[in-house]
Amino acid sequence: MTIAIYPGSFDPFTNGHLDILKSGSEIFDKVIIAVSYNINKKGFLTVDERVDLIKKSVAHLKNVEVDSFNGLTVEYAKKKGADVLLRGLRTSFDFEYELQLSQTNNALYDNLKTVFLITKPEYNFISSSMVKEILVNNGDISKFVPQNVCEFLISKRDT
Ligand code: ADP
């Protein structure tokens, strides 16, 4: 049984993240999508809000589990018995960063293999920071995030 973890900030979870997760769930026996957080860094959404929104967005994917962790990804992977680290690639900028990250993780824990999935062209430009920028400027984010995420973000912005 191959278990993959898909770590990230997911602040917020976007349609690009969902696409990578869905493909991962078709390849691996189980995928754990895990919100990685740093107690000293405050995001737009709380960790609990991110986990909750992802759970609702991925309820239809039966072999996907949603979790959160703080600290080193490799330690979390060991704890979960994961063999694969799943990451998404959009551009060569992502590649430069992900190459370094993957090699660092490998130096810390050789048993964890990073698998990259290339984003579909229609999701290529979507990023969590772009979604937040459009949101705070009252733009339409409905094309970029799942519906439940869209509704929650708008209600949080307006309160
Ligand atoms: P991090 O802070 O770890 O980069 P993100 O939430 O920004 O967390 O991204 C998590 C993962 O999802 C990364 O591998 C990132 O490259 C990937 N990703 C982000 N946006 C997209 C997208 N639109 N299409 C495909 N992969 C994406």
Side-chain angles (χ1 to χ4, degrees):
M1 167 146 171
T2 307
I3 302 176
I5 56 167
Y6 179 32
S9 312
F10 306 115
D11 186 31
F13 184 66
T14 68
N15 287 338
H17 293 134
L18 179 60
D19 179 52
I20 297 292
L21 183 65
K22 190 172 167 294
S23 300
S25 76
E26 288 161 9
I27 299 170
F28 304 109
D29 297 307
K30 179 173 163 183
V31 181
I32 305 170
I33 174 166
V35 175
S36 66
Y37 65 95
N38 177 337
I39 33 176
N40 299 314
K41 263 202 215 158
K42 203 172 166 290
F44 180 74
L45 297 174
T46 67
V47 174
D48 288 346
E49 285 170 341
R50 291 180 227 177
V51 167
D52 198 48
L53 288 173
I54 298 172
K55 276 188 183 159
K56 287 181 182 133
S57 309
V58 307
H60 60 293
L61 301 174
K62 295 300 166 216
N63 58 342
V64 169
E65 191 181 300
V66 188
D67 194 14
S68 63
F69 72 99
N70 169 22
L72 289 177
T73 304
V74 290
E75 294 306 324
Y76 177 73
K78 278 184 205 168
K79 195 176 100 187
K80 289 291 182 179
D83 325 281
V84 171
L85 187 61
L86 175 64
R87 297 285 288 176
L89 281 183
R90 286 163 293 186
T91 60
S92 56
F93 296 109
D94 272 353
F95 177 75
E96 294 296 329
Y97 171 71
E98 295 289 342
L99 176 72
Q100 199 182 16
L101 195 61
S102 167
Q103 288 173 340
T104 306
N105 283 330
N106 252 178
L108 294 172
Y109 181 40
D110 192 36
N111 286 345
L112 190 65
K113 313 292 177 212
T114 308
V115 171
F116 295 107
L117 293 179
I118 304 283
T119 187
K120 291 203 179 78
E122 60 265 41
Y123 303 126
N124 205 52
F125 60 93
I126 303 177
S127 69
S128 298
S129 49
M130 186 270 289
V131 168
K132 283 181 279 195
E133 192 63 30
I134 297 172
L135 177 76
V136 297
N137 288 295
N138 299 307
D140 179 11
I141 56 164
S142 61
K143 284 202 286 286
F144 311 129
V145 294
Q147 199 187 336
N148 67 305
V149 176
C150 180
E151 286 164 7
F152 186 84
L153 289 175
I154 292 170
S155 71
K156 182 152 178 159
R157 178 197 62 194
D158 296 341
T159 49

